[in-house]
Amino acid sequence: MKNPSPKKIHNYNKIRRNRVYFGIVLLMVVVGLFFIFLGRFSYIVASGKLNNINLKERTNLKYQQDRRLTAVRGTIYDANHNVIAEDSNVYNLYAVIDSKYVSNKNKPLYVKDKAHTAAVLSQYIPLSKAKIYGVLNNQDPNAFQVEFGNAGKNLSLEVKKEIEAKHLPGVYFTKSPSRLYPNGNFASHIVGLAQLDNSKKASNGTLVGVMGIESYFNKVLTGKNGVRRFKTDSYGYELPDSPVTTKKPKNGQNITLTLDSRLQSYMESTISDVYQQYAPVKMTATLMNAKTGKILAATQRPTFNPATKAGLDGSWQDALVQEAYEPGSVFKLLSLSAAIDSGHYTPNAYYQSGAVNVSGNVVRDWNYNGWGSIPFSQAFPRSSNVGFVKIEQQMGAKTWLDYLNRFGINKKTGITLPGEASGSLAFKRPLDQAITSFGQGVNVTVMQMMQAFSAVANNGKMVKPQIVSEISDPTTGKTTKTKTQVTGKPISKNTAISVRNAMKDVINQSYGTGQVYAIPGYDIGVKTGTAQIAQNGAYLAGDSNYIFSVVGMAPIDDPQYILYITMQQPQKMTKPAEQILASAFNPIMKRALEYNTDQKAPDVASITMPTLTGQALTEAETKLNQTGLTYGVVGSGDKVVQQLPLAKENVLAGQRTVLLTNGAMTMPDVKGWSKNDVLKLAEITGVKVKFKGDGYVVSQSIPANHILNTDSKLEILLSSQKTE
């Protein structure tokens, strides 16, 4: 065998040597990397950090869960501690229609029998069987689930339970927090509204006030959420022995209003009746305690039902504080007060009524030709514009402006309601100064007027209107009461007495404009008003294009109550404006006086309405039968969720109570009901009602037991012949 050549041997040794060198280098790299990793690992173990990240904290975060503990929003009460607004939960209905959605045992978890499901659901939500069936037959092949619009939203717990009891495959619910307004249409703009805040910044499921007290005191009512912190395993389940830390939520504070539910409910019903019958564009009514400034009842039209949201779209503004208007002749209360108090009133002097020239402009009385030469003492009860122009001229603009400031005109009252307007005052020209004496050229709010009126009612002391009685913290037990606040003394006691005597003349004298406001058995004083409406720089013409108003005080010698009602442009002015206003003013003032033990009216058979809300329907019916009250039931459920009249309200024997139950909202048989009874039905359901005729119901456009919703329109035929 031939020996390898030296060259080949050399190459072989070279290759072998290179391999040895490479092995040594590789070993050194591996050993180096090992020590690097060992050092790095030792550092991580010792420091517990990686790239400045605390691994222990990161691990804790991965297996740590925080569960929010939601604070309860504070409750709003009336003056008698009846609930006006409180927290609740509502449920939204949806249905799964994807046939692939089944259980591990292939049990259908989707809607399999659509016709049966539609038939059952139509008994609980205000949608027909056909419409529900159409929703369930969604044509989108990729649709997993379907919803039912507004009809399937905001369902009560009772309705949810009833649907679940039917065991319908594929029918499910989601829960969301809600605000419960058990009284329906009840000082809606004052109480306001709280809704879910769906903004990105908001916590999931947070209620926020968007109107009224709910908005003004939103932070007070909201409280602070708590948290429960615990450990979970890699599957997300809570570890049984892991430490748990809990930060309890701080519930919102409760607010008690000055509103009296008995008076408020009666005012709502009375104003609704007038609003339905005469169709004014706007209407307000405010009843205040003259001594304290507490608002006992207040409402406006148009309004809305916070429970059903009916009417909300066109009724966001609070007319009592956010809208400024020319008040008209009720403003003569202030100009007469200023003239008497400043010593510029000469009641026995005579002037020529009918017309007066002011800087080349003619100002006329509402009675075009006037009443001839009459004493200034008749200017107020006759509501003579000419007389008050002359009174303002005798005072002088400087004095008159001083008293306007004293009465708080053109200034906010500071009432605890959002968006209060300050009004405006045109006072540069002699004509401007003259016409403010009878309420033109000046824009005010209802609450400004109530504050100014209080000086006349309260012997010169002017008190701030008050809507909140107290705020209480359920956590600490601390209660903060709102005290009566005297905002000034613009006139003397003697001046106030003189003005109230003039208010008596408006009713008692044969030439007074307010004789229709007399209430037998009570001493009342009033001032009427008819204000022109400015539009595009000119005043509107026409018999109904006015803001008609009346303010009254009673008992007039020592007023306990001030009632102020305004009515703008009644579209069905079938009676004189004063008769229309009297149909609201007289019963409301009389009802208030009946609660005053010093001014008790003759005995009337009355019953205190029992508390029925939250009770079983059978129990409520038994109570009503025992008290001698008739009733009508709205809904297919077995539990009462709303009632009208409200609990503790005084009602006449035989008066009808309307009960709203859980379950589907169904139409009752209303034949034989009075118009007022049907208005209660409209208020508690949100249904729009159109009346024809007078008297009692003889026919209804929606049959009994038919499903109702807030879009339902009910036509009622009334007849003077009552049928049962």
Side-chain angles (χ1 to χ4, degrees):
M1 183 176 179
K2 190 178 179 178
N3 291 327
S5 67
K7 186 177 181 179
K8 286 184 178 180
I9 293 172
H10 175 75
N11 290 337
Y12 174 77
N13 291 334
K14 185 178 180 181
I15 292 171
R16 185 177 179 186
R17 186 169 57 252
N18 289 340
R19 286 176 178 174
V20 171
Y21 290 155
F22 177 78
I24 293 171
V25 170
L26 180 61
L27 179 62
M28 292 176 65
V29 169
V30 170
V31 172
L33 288 174
F34 172 77
F35 281 106
I36 291 173
F37 288 143
L38 181 63
R40 181 68 167 161
F41 182 75
S42 299
Y43 169 77
I44 293 173
V45 172
S47 66
K49 292 182 178 181
L50 176 63
N51 296 330
N52 291 323
I53 296 174
N54 191 307
L55 296 178
K56 184 177 181 180
E57 291 181 358
R58 178 62 63 87
T59 303
N60 286 338
L61 286 175
K62 181 178 180 180
Y63 296 102
Q64 177 178 287
Q65 292 291 331
D66 288 347
R67 182 170 297 163
R68 189 184 67 179
L69 302 177
T70 305
V72 177
R73 188 175 178 85
T75 301
I76 300 176
Y77 298 99
D78 84 329
N80 300 311
H81 218 66
N82 296 311
V83 173
I84 298 177
E86 64 181 345
D87 267 11
S88 181
N89 288 309
V90 292
Y91 299 86
N92 303 320
L93 175 68
Y94 71 96
V96 175
I97 57 174
D98 188 346
S99 59
K100 297 177 183 178
Y101 192 51
V102 295
S103 68
N104 293 333
K105 298 181 180 180
N106 289 324
K107 181 180 178 181
L109 300 177
Y110 62 92
V111 177
K112 189 173 183 180
D113 190 340
K114 296 179 180 178
H116 173 68
T117 301
V120 173
L121 291 180
S122 66
Q123 301 175 34
Y124 298 97
I125 65 174
L127 275 183
S128 66
K129 175 182 176 181
K131 287 185 178 180
I132 296 174
Y133 187 74
V135 172
L136 293 174
N137 279 291
N138 189 293
Q139 299 303 311
D140 184 356
N142 297 318
F144 176 76
Q145 67 186 54
V146 293
E147 298 178 356
F148 302 92
N150 289 332
K153 293 181 179 179
N154 299 323
L155 303 180
S156 67
L157 176 61
E158 289 77 10
V159 172
K160 171 182 176 286
K161 287 181 177 180
E162 289 191 22
I163 294 175
E164 288 176 333
K166 301 298 181 180
H167 303 293
L168 300 173
V171 173
Y172 304 98
F173 299 87
T174 58
K175 183 175 76 170
S176 62
S178 178
R179 197 69 165 157
L180 179 65
Y181 299 93
N183 301 319
N185 186 353
F186 184 96
S188 300
H189 289 83
I190 288 178
V191 176
L193 192 67
Q195 296 180 320
L196 280 177
D197 186 354
N198 295 318
S199 66
K200 293 181 179 179
K201 294 181 180 180
S203 300
N204 184 34
T206 299
L207 289 168
V208 61
V210 295
M211 293 174 64
I213 292 292
E214 293 274 28
S215 173
Y216 192 93
F217 290 98
N218 185 60
K219 289 185 178 179
V220 173
L221 289 163
T222 300
K224 294 182 179 179
N225 292 331
V227 64
R228 182 177 183 271
R229 182 166 293 169
F230 55 92
K231 296 289 184 64
T232 63
D233 60 19
S234 58
Y235 296 99
Y237 294 106
E238 182 176 351
L239 295 173
D241 297 324
S242 67
V244 176
T245 58
T246 302
K247 181 182 178 182
K248 293 183 179 180
K250 186 180 185 300
N251 292 335
Q253 298 182 58
N254 301 324
I255 295 178
T256 301
L257 304 184
T258 60
L259 299 175
D260 186 315
S261 60
R262 300 166 300 177
L263 294 171
Q264 182 68 41
S265 179
Y266 188 74
M267 176 181 280
E268 297 286 1
S269 177
T270 304
I271 296 300
S272 288
D273 199 357
V274 174
Y275 185 71
Q276 290 276 350
Q277 189 167 353
Y278 302 103
V281 173
K282 294 179 183 177
M283 195 168 183
T284 70
T286 309
L287 179 69
M288 186 173 84
N289 183 309
K291 307 295 185 185
T292 64
K294 291 182 177 181
I295 304 299
L296 304 175
T299 191
Q300 70 181 68
R301 295 294 181 276
T303 187
F304 69 97
N305 186 327
T308 63
K309 308 300 187 295
L312 183 59
D313 291 343
S315 185
W316 278 94
Q317 198 166 37
D318 185 348
L320 303 177
V321 294
Q322 295 176 332
E323 292 185 7
Y325 60 96
E326 291 192 355
S329 291
V330 293
F331 209 69
K332 291 170 183 171
L333 270 175
L334 309 191
S335 44
L336 179 62
S337 297
I340 295 174
D341 200 68
S342 64
H344 293 93
Y345 182 57
T346 53
N348 297 321
Y350 278 70
Y351 72 97
Q352 186 63 37
S353 65
V356 63
N357 190 295
V358 182
S359 301
N361 298 275
V362 177
V363 176
R364 291 193 174 275
D365 281 318
W366 63 269
N367 182 7
Y368 192 82
N369 295 318
W371 305 271
S373 180
I374 59 174
F376 279 101
S377 61
Q378 292 186 17
F380 187 83
R382 289 186 187 274
S383 200
S384 169
N385 292 344
V386 173
F388 274 84
V389 168
K390 293 181 178 294
I391 288 173
E392 186 276 330
Q393 291 173 340
Q394 290 171 6
M395 274 193 293
K398 184 177 180 180
T399 299
W400 176 219
L401 181 60
D402 176 51
Y403 277 90
L404 288 173
N405 290 327
R406 291 191 195 187
F407 280 115
I409 301 305
N410 206 25
K411 300 174 185 175
K412 297 178 181 181
T413 67
I415 190 170
T416 52
L417 288 170
E420 184 181 15
S422 58
S424 62
L425 176 65
F427 209 77
K428 291 183 178 180
R429 303 176 301 163
L431 179 62
D432 296 333
Q433 297 155 8
I435 64 176
T436 55
S437 67
F438 55 85
Q440 284 186 202
V442 56
N443 285 281
V444 298
T445 66
V446 169
M447 289 304 167
Q448 279 179 333
M449 294 301 287
M450 296 303 293
Q451 178 173 262
F453 293 150
S454 71
V456 176
N458 209 20
N459 289 335
K461 291 182 180 180
M462 189 167 70
V463 292
K464 176 181 174 180
Q466 176 185 334
I467 193 64
V468 173
S469 177
E470 64 180 41
I471 300 176
S472 58
D473 190 329
T475 304
T476 63
K478 181 182 177 181
T479 298
T480 304
K481 295 183 180 292
T482 304
K483 297 179 180 179
T484 298
Q485 184 176 341
V486 176
T487 55
K489 193 175 181 182
I491 57 176
S492 68
K493 177 180 179 180
N494 288 336
T495 296
I497 292 172
S498 297
V499 175
R500 295 203 301 269
N501 286 333
M503 294 177 72
K504 290 182 186 179
D505 289 344
V506 178
I507 287 181
N508 298 330
Q509 296 296 338
S510 59
Y511 48 78
T513 60
Q515 297 175 52
V516 70
Y517 297 103
I519 302 175
Y522 299 101
D523 293 325
I524 311 292
V526 303
K527 181 66 192 84
T528 59
T530 306
Q532 291 178 289
I533 299 173
Q535 192 174 88
N536 300 323
Y539 286 108
L540 299 178
D543 292 341
S544 66
N545 281 328
Y546 295 91
I547 297 176
F548 303 101
S549 59
V550 61
V551 58
M553 301 176 188
I556 191 60
D557 291 329
D558 184 20
Q560 304 297 312
Y561 302 105
I562 303 172
L563 176 59
Y564 180 39
I565 301 178
T566 70
M567 177 181 67
Q568 179 180 328
Q569 297 169 290
Q571 304 301 293
K572 300 177 182 177
M573 199 168 173
T574 55
K575 292 180 180 179
E578 61 270 18
Q579 290 187 23
I580 297 175
L581 287 173
S583 67
F585 178 93
N586 292 20
I588 294 172
M589 181 63 90
K590 186 172 184 290
R591 177 59 63 94
L593 289 166
E594 287 174 349
Y595 290 136
N596 184 350
T597 55
D598 295 331
Q599 283 282 317
K600 188 66 177 177
D603 289 338
V604 179
S606 64
I607 297 170
T608 300
M609 176 60 64
T611 300
L612 306 173
T613 303
Q615 297 183 357
L617 178 60
T618 53
E619 184 180 353
E621 289 174 330
T622 300
K623 283 187 177 181
L624 290 172
N625 289 329
Q626 290 173 346
T627 54
L629 294 169
T630 57
Y631 58 89
V633 179
V634 182
S636 60
D638 57 3
K639 182 180 179 181
V640 178
V641 294
Q642 283 189 44
Q643 69 178 83
L644 278 180
L646 300 177
K648 299 182 182 178
E649 182 178 344
N650 289 334
V651 296
L652 298 177
Q655 185 172 336
R656 191 181 306 276
T657 303
V658 178
L659 303 176
L660 179 65
T661 70
N662 55 345
M665 193 163 67
T666 54
M667 178 70 192
D669 184 350
V670 298
K671 290 186 179 69
W673 288 27
S674 69
K675 184 177 181 180
N676 190 49
D677 293 338
V678 179
L679 287 173
K680 293 177 192 172
L681 171 68
E683 183 177 332
I684 208 168
T685 61
V687 171
K688 299 175 179 64
V689 183
K690 182 179 180 180
F691 292 99
K692 185 176 181 181
D694 292 298
Y696 298 91
V697 180
V698 292
S699 69
Q700 59 192 81
S701 61
I702 300 178
N705 299 318
H706 188 81
I707 298 292
L708 293 173
N709 58 55
T710 54
D711 295 326
S712 298
K713 294 182 180 179
L714 174 63
E715 294 184 3
I716 293 292
L717 178 62
L718 303 169
S719 173
S720 56
Q721 293 289 345
K722 183 177 181 180
T723 59
E724 290 287 358

